[in-house]
Amino acid sequence: MGTRIDEAAAALSPVKPRHVLCLLGGEHQLTLLSDAASDAISKFATGFSIDTTYSQDRPDPQMSRSFGVCWDRVAPNAWTEADEAAVADHKSVLYVLGPRMSADTAVVCSTGALFLIHAVIKAGATAAKGESAGVAHGLARWAVLAQQASATLQADDDHALSRICRLAFAKRPLGTDVYTETVGNHL
């Protein structure tokens, strides 16, 4: 009985999280990244927007440290030395904000976030992370996740799509010998 009450309370939660995406690029590439994100927003990432407050056409000296704590350390080969070098050598930073999500819209919004990241990478982004989830993957891993999400959409497999979105946007695992937690599952 307690489980049903907990599920009902979670469904009525006033908390509406959102994706905050961080995409890095080369010198003077903010416009290129922004244009690619805008194109994705107009085509499929409904409700997403470009953050003009923190996006910048210059490097952010905190990025190596920030990505360093966010790299996915569970999936084999989730990032490479080349991905780390791309973060260290970045020259522009684009932030994209997702729409507020409910439990009912989380998978759709997360799929949009994943495909937006993939589109901006294809346009020239050199690194990406789910800032709000605290998780970063290398370029090849983002591409694999986007391909898997596309395949699950074609197969009309909502459960598998939800799993791909969780793998993309949940930092895991954190814990001890006694417990395991994730960061980002609130998304």
Side-chain angles (χ1 to χ4, degrees):
M1 183 79 171
T3 303
R4 288 186 191 154
I5 293 170
D6 293 341
E7 289 172 358
L12 299 175
S13 173
V15 176
K16 302 288 187 232
R18 71 189 319 179
H19 284 285
V20 177
L21 309 176
C22 175
L23 299 126
L24 305 182
E27 191 165 9
H28 306 299
Q29 284 194 329
L30 182 59
T31 300
L32 174 80
L33 301 179
S34 181
D35 287 349
S38 293
D39 187 52
I41 290 166
S42 71
K43 289 181 178 174
F44 59 82
T46 305
F48 283 75
S49 62
I50 293 170
D51 178 77
T52 57
T53 302
Y54 295 103
S55 296
Q56 60 188 38
D57 210 5
R58 62 184 184 281
D60 179 338
Q62 300 300 316
M63 283 299 154
S64 288
R65 183 174 180 265
S66 178
F67 270 76
V69 299
C70 292
W71 290 121
D72 180 351
R73 289 177 167 74
V74 176
N77 305 311
W79 84 98
T80 66
E81 288 181 18
D83 292 310
E84 287 189 55
V87 171
D89 296 337
H90 80 281
K91 305 292 186 231
S92 54
V93 182
L94 175 70
Y95 287 99
V96 178
L97 307 174
R100 296 286 178 186
M101 298 180 286
S102 66
D104 293 338
T105 63
V107 174
V108 170
C109 289
S110 296
T111 302
L114 178 55
F115 288 152
L116 186 146
I117 287 172
H118 185 61
V120 179
I121 288 171
K122 285 175 33 180
T126 57
K129 68 176 170 160
E131 185 80 19
S132 51
V135 65
H137 307 285
L139 296 183
R141 177 73 174 147
W142 282 116
V144 166
L145 290 164
Q147 183 277 326
Q148 290 173 341
S150 180
T152 62
L153 281 172
Q154 290 176 354
D156 197 26
D157 187 344
D158 293 342
H159 180 73
L161 183 60
S162 176
R163 179 180 177 278
I164 297 303
C165 290
R166 181 182 51 80
L167 293 173
F169 295 110
K171 178 124 175 130
R172 51 197 173 80
L174 301 172
T176 69
D177 292 338
V178 178
Y179 69 91
T180 301
E181 296 179 6
T182 65
V183 175
N185 268 350
H186 63 283
L187 297 173

